Amino acid sequence: MTETAEREVGRARLRKEDARLVTGQTNWTDNIQVTGLLHLAILRSPMAHARIDRVDVSPALERPGVVAAFSGRDLAEGLGSLPCAWPVTEDIVLPGHPPVAVDEVRHAGDPVAVVVARDRYAAADALEAVEVDYTPLPPVLDLEAALAEDAPLVHADKGTNRCYVWPLKTGEDYDTVKQRAEVVLKRRYHQQRLIPNAMEPRAVVVTPLAASGEYTVHSATQIPHILRIMLAMVTGVPEHKLRVIAPDVGGGFGSKLQVYGEEAIALAVARRLGRPVKWTESRSEGYLATHHGRGMIQDIEIAATREGKLLGLKVDLLADMGAYLMLVTPGVPILGAFMYPAIYKMDAYDFTCTGVFTTRTPTDAYRGAGRPEATFAIERIMDELAAKLGLDPVELRRRNWIRHEEFPYTSVAGLTYDSGNYEAATDKALALFGYDDLRAEQQKRTERGDTVRLGIGVSTYTEMCGLAPSRVLRDLRYAAGGWEAASIRMLPTGKVEVVTGTSPHGQGHVTAWSQIAADVLGVPFEDVEVVYGDTKAAPQGMDTYGSRSLVVGGAAVHRAAVKVVEKARKVAAHLLEASEHDLEFAGGVFSVKGSPEARRTIQEIAFETFSSHDLPDGMEPTINAEHLVDPENFSYPHGTHLCAVEVDTETGRTSILSYVCVDDVGRVVNPMIVEGQVHGGVAQGIAQALYEEAVYDDEGNLVSGTMADYLVPSAADLPDFVTDRTETPATSNPLGAKGVGEAGTIAATPAVVNAIVDALRPLGVDDVPMPCTPERVWQALQEVSA
């Protein structure tokens, strides 16, 4: 980059990754072909809860192309329990989680046998030959009933379905504050289960190198570094003998933030057979076996004065763990615990979460992971409080939010929000939305008694992201840290390699990291290459989740690049026969103050270091550098989302008329990437509000187990989005960035549901359960009519 070149950070650069992806020059895990490759197929329980009396895999061995077959008992010797890295309380109930069930199945889809064949179809066909005898056991599906003394148990040896109770009481005593309240509202909200639908199904390929006992694991994962550690623990393969590669990964949304049984099974089978093996899930298989998201009953109580001043908030959650605890299952609701007070000031906060085992697919992180649930509850009850007090929903929020001049501000939940301006974001959103005109139109329709009602939904949010710092994670009993690593390699030809511990799956890391490094080093954007997703090429990292990549991983890239410049400064000073303090660095050029003709580019320094013919005495012949970042605080993006809907009271059909969002994500590295993240996030938030739900029957069977039954909206089902931004830089990282990957998902769901309820409130409706399908809207209207 020349001294007059435009800065990269802030530019809407086309993504470097896209040309390869859109032309099919990709390396998805399922594309990988290895000599002698075998294929795995997994027989899954058709029952939600049953004792396994007999498994006979021998008939499968007679099928054409079958090489091996294993029951859970056959594989038990080489496979330990799948890990839970977040035991949130000291007395948490931690049941064993075998990758293949041995004595009992605990959800429909629990693996019971594995067939290995020469091709995928032969393996799948041979599953039909495996003989399994079951004795049915009672399913456990209702969260409240599961806690009754006489309830059937998911894990009989544990004596309870209660996994843990996690309390957080901060500020004044809630009951004392409640006594002086003039208005107390209590509501119950249901967070339905959601099934992640990444474009690429999960897949794993394990290739053994028998001579050295090494294994290369290709997996469609968000967490290659964490996966490597956990696979070593589960299978007993030494960590230094494992190489994990996340090649091109087609989306995750949290579903690939996991250590799955299939990964451990593939490694164990490859180890046993000495042959490379592959497993790729089908869509219907993924609906049963990929972890689900959300799944929660929220009892919310809010106390306020008649003027609308918030005094206190009480939250009681029942969180569905599903049948087992996966990697961070117990911790997901706890992440949300700190966000229920949101952007509001109050005196008391009382939170309790009870984790409950059920005979359903385990839950775990899904885009937002606890934060969308919290935002939904507080934003829904704020609208109910506004209606009770006869206040405009925006006005009630204005009376209670933290003002911009009060930052940094420690919330009642104990988090210190470093920066923000809720007023600016809301004012801009209201102007773009035409809020007053829409309210006037709404009033006219109400007075006319129109059958098609207009509703306006408000959602003001903040979230904690950049999952770190490590000491906070320690206090929350999370097993790992929150740091991130990056290194910069200056090649002799002046090109740059950025090695990052983050592992992208659609976020645009290659482009953004190139922009960050190019600015600091003063080299062209095109001259930067990014290395990632391979524990051998990028050996240090904590991977990608929780909107942490930019604010932690990007910060590590920035700081590593600064170290390169400072190392290069020593060489430049030596070559220019000047003091380091007399050198200026701009646009990739070191020059002597007052003598601009005395100059060296950083690329020239890279070659001089490579040749090492004339370096300062005692200096190593390198200007490469690495940096590990462990932030002292989370980052806190925020924003205001507004939604206008039309609801047909005769059919229950909801149509989104307009959607406006103004987000503050701190300083923006690439506006085009931010825009894409917001669009995708809003789409997923709308999907929860209107379309998606994992539905089980009374026997615990998943009846929404295909894309024909589980509704995922397409672009044609979504409105055009009007997006904009305000900017208050974060103080927790050198980029001033706050994170954007989950913002849209967090804000959108309550905006849409608030709009639907707002449309129907004059008719007596104060809630519609999600997803707000036409049937549920119509049913809510019939109930108030009755």
Side-chain angles (χ1 to χ4, degrees):
M1 186 172 72
T2 65
E3 294 174 76
T4 58
E6 181 182 352
R7 286 187 60 82
E8 286 294 339
V9 170
R11 290 183 70 180
R13 279 279 193 182
L14 291 175
R15 300 198 323 175
K16 284 185 174 183
E17 303 92 322
D18 289 349
R20 185 171 52 81
L21 294 171
V22 300
T23 56
Q25 299 175 65
T26 50
N27 190 33
W28 312 115
T29 301
D30 191 48
N31 294 152
I32 294 169
Q33 298 298 326
V34 185
T35 301
L37 184 66
L38 300 175
H39 295 260
L40 297 182
I42 297 173
L43 183 66
R44 299 183 182 278
S45 169
M47 309 181 75
H49 198 196
R51 187 169 61 247
I52 300 173
D53 297 320
R54 182 179 71 96
V55 179
D56 185 359
V57 299
S58 59
L61 293 170
E62 300 173 5
R63 292 294 184 97
V66 172
V67 173
F70 306 98
S71 67
R73 197 170 300 281
D74 294 332
L75 291 172
E77 185 177 341
L79 282 175
S81 180
L82 293 174
C84 174
W86 204 337
V88 295
T89 63
E90 197 168 322
D91 59 351
I92 189 172
V93 174
L94 289 169
H97 184 185
V100 183
V102 176
D103 299 312
E104 196 170 309
V105 292
R106 294 182 171 87
H107 68 90
D110 217 354
V112 293
V114 179
V115 172
V116 189
R118 291 187 178 89
D119 68 70
R120 181 179 181 180
Y121 305 102
D125 289 344
L127 292 179
E128 299 174 357
V130 178
E131 298 175 2
V132 186
D133 293 337
Y134 299 100
T135 297
L137 297 171
V140 179
L141 301 169
D142 182 273
L143 292 179
E144 291 178 303
L147 297 177
E149 286 189 13
D150 59 348
L153 298 176
V154 181
H155 299 275
D157 60 318
K158 300 301 181 184
T160 181
N161 290 323
R162 182 178 283 103
C163 176
Y164 67 86
V165 178
W166 193 92
L168 177 67
K169 300 179 190 295
T170 57
E172 299 180 38
D173 177 69
Y174 175 79
D175 290 333
T176 302
V177 166
K178 180 180 174 181
Q179 289 176 4
R180 67 174 189 260
E182 296 162 307
V183 179
V184 177
L185 283 184
K186 187 169 185 177
R187 293 289 186 270
R188 169 169 281 201
Y189 301 120
H190 289 261
Q191 291 284 329
Q192 77 271 35
R193 275 176 166 252
L194 302 177
I195 302 176
N197 277 274
M199 189 170 289
E200 179 205 18
R202 291 189 294 119
V204 59
V205 175
V206 179
T207 306
L209 185 60
S212 60
E214 296 176 309
Y215 299 86
T216 297
V217 180
H218 287 82
S219 181
T221 183
Q222 299 174 217
I223 53 167
H225 297 90
I226 294 173
L227 178 59
R228 181 190 190 208
I229 296 168
M230 295 302 184
L231 284 179
M233 295 171 64
V234 172
T235 66
V237 175
E239 184 184 350
H240 67 287
K241 297 291 189 178
L242 281 174
R243 176 184 183 183
V244 176
I245 300 173
D248 293 317
V249 178
F253 313 119
S255 70
K256 294 170 183 171
L257 164 58
Q258 194 54 264
V259 177
Y260 281 106
E262 294 86 357
E263 291 161 321
I265 293 166
L267 179 53
V269 170
R271 188 183 195 184
R272 184 170 293 206
L273 300 181
R275 297 273 298 276
V277 297
K278 177 191 287 188
W279 172 82
T280 302
E281 72 177 0
S282 67
R283 284 290 178 188
S284 56
E285 188 178 23
Y287 275 44
L288 289 169
T290 296
H291 74 240
H292 292 179
R294 316 290 192 253
M296 187 183 293
I297 297 173
Q298 302 171 305
D299 287 311
I300 313 296
E301 185 176 279
I302 197 165
T305 68
R306 286 195 190 92
E307 291 74 34
K309 181 183 184 298
L310 300 185
L311 299 176
L313 180 68
K314 182 176 174 62
V315 177
D316 285 297
L317 304 183
L318 290 179
D320 188 352
M321 304 287 97
Y324 303 101
L325 301 183
M326 298 192 76
L327 192 65
V328 295
T329 301
V332 169
I334 307 311
L335 273 178
F338 299 94
M339 300 314 302
Y340 281 84
I343 66 173
Y344 306 118
K345 295 180 286 189
M346 59 188 74
D347 301 326
Y349 178 47
D350 188 331
F351 173 94
T352 303
C353 177
T354 301
V356 184
F357 290 112
T358 63
T359 52
R360 288 188 279 231
T361 300
T363 59
D364 209 291
Y366 179 72
R367 197 171 189 173
R371 282 75 53 83
E373 298 94 309
T375 299
F376 181 86
I378 186 64
E379 289 304 286
R380 281 290 294 115
I381 205 165
M382 285 295 283
D383 261 34
E384 295 306 304
L385 181 60
K388 178 76 172 177
L389 298 173
L391 290 173
D392 180 272
V394 175
E395 177 57 28
L396 176 64
R397 288 164 170 82
R398 287 188 192 279
R399 293 184 184 187
N400 288 284
W401 65 33
I402 303 156
R403 298 187 306 275
H404 70 274
E405 64 270 16
E406 295 179 283
F407 288 97
Y409 185 91
T410 301
S411 77
V412 70
L415 297 179
T416 300
Y417 301 166
D418 61 330
S419 67
N421 191 327
Y422 309 140
E423 306 98 302
T426 303
D427 288 345
K428 181 176 275 193
L430 292 172
L432 291 170
F433 191 63
Y435 186 81
D436 292 339
D437 291 343
L438 282 167
R439 283 292 184 202
E441 171 64 19
Q442 180 187 45
Q443 182 63 29
K444 289 177 185 177
R445 292 197 192 191
T446 301
E447 291 170 355
R448 291 196 303 261
D450 286 5
T451 57
V452 177
R453 297 289 178 135
L454 177 64
I456 298 168
V458 181
S459 174
T460 50
Y461 79 96
T462 189
E463 61 154 325
M464 54 189 283
C465 58
L467 192 60
S470 297
R471 290 182 180 180
V472 173
L473 296 178
R474 172 203 63 193
D475 294 342
L476 292 173
R477 300 180 62 85
Y478 181 59
W483 53 266
E484 194 49 78
S487 60
I488 306 288
R489 299 196 290 243
M490 289 292 300
L491 305 181
T493 54
K495 309 303 182 184
V496 180
E497 289 180 334
V498 173
V499 182
T500 176
T502 64
S503 186
H505 43 282
Q507 294 89 343
H509 291 185
V510 172
T511 303
W513 282 204
S514 294
Q515 290 179 272
I516 293 166
D519 267 1
V520 177
L521 300 173
V523 301
F525 169 80
E526 295 78 10
D527 285 355
V528 183
E529 190 71 26
V530 179
V531 178
Y532 61 87
D534 181 340
T535 60
K536 190 171 185 179
Q540 291 182 296
M542 290 302 296
D543 304 318
T544 296
Y545 41 85
S547 296
R548 70 186 301 275
S549 291
L550 179 61
V551 297
V552 189
V557 171
H558 179 276
R559 287 174 169 157
V562 169
K563 285 184 174 179
V564 169
V565 172
E566 292 312 303
K567 281 186 166 184
R569 183 184 298 276
K570 296 181 183 299
V571 180
H574 176 75
L575 295 174
L576 294 170
E577 299 180 345
S579 165
E580 291 181 41
H581 303 294
D582 290 335
L583 290 188
E584 295 177 331
F585 182 72
V589 177
F590 292 98
S591 59
V592 180
K593 295 176 185 176
S595 302
E597 70 284 353
R599 51 194 283 133
R600 287 286 195 280
T601 67
I602 197 166
Q603 291 97 330
E604 291 172 326
I605 299 298
F607 187 83
E608 290 287 348
T609 308
F610 165 72
S611 69
S612 67
H613 291 168
D614 189 12
L615 295 181
D617 291 342
M619 183 174 180
E620 293 180 309
T622 179
I623 56 172
N624 297 345
E626 67 175 7
H627 193 91
L628 276 73
V629 166
D630 197 343
E632 295 182 0
N633 194 7
F634 300 99
S635 63
Y636 300 96
H638 68 82
T640 298
H641 288 221
L642 302 169
C643 179
V645 301
E646 286 185 328
V647 181
D648 189 326
T649 57
E650 293 181 336
T651 66
R653 184 174 187 271
T654 296
S655 303
I656 297 179
L657 283 181
S658 65
Y659 194 101
V660 170
C661 53
V662 175
D663 297 289
D664 188 329
V665 297
R667 290 208 176 98
V668 171
V669 173
N670 188 317
M672 187 177 297
I673 291 176
V674 167
E675 192 86 352
Q677 290 280 3
V678 170
H679 279 218
V682 170
Q684 280 188 281
I686 291 173
Q688 179 174 5
L690 296 180
Y691 299 104
E692 296 190 30
E693 182 178 24
V695 179
Y696 287 82
D697 66 15
D698 292 341
E699 299 302 315
N701 300 304
L702 181 66
V703 297
S704 56
T706 71
M707 283 190 166
D709 309 296
Y710 185 90
L711 300 183
V712 180
S714 70
D717 300 305
L718 299 167
D720 291 333
F721 306 130
V722 177
T723 65
D724 209 333
R725 292 186 300 277
T726 55
E727 184 181 298
T728 53
T731 62
S732 58
N733 64 81
L735 302 170
K738 292 185 175 182
V740 70
E742 297 161 304
T745 310
I746 289 167
T749 307
V752 175
V753 177
N754 277 342
I756 293 169
V757 175
D758 184 63
L760 302 178
R761 198 181 299 280
L763 301 176
V765 175
D766 65 4
D767 193 31
V768 178
M770 292 189 294
C772 302
T773 60
E775 180 183 4
R776 285 184 174 167
V777 171
W778 184 86
Q779 186 63 45
L781 286 165
Q782 301 316 299
E783 289 173 3
V784 297
S785 297

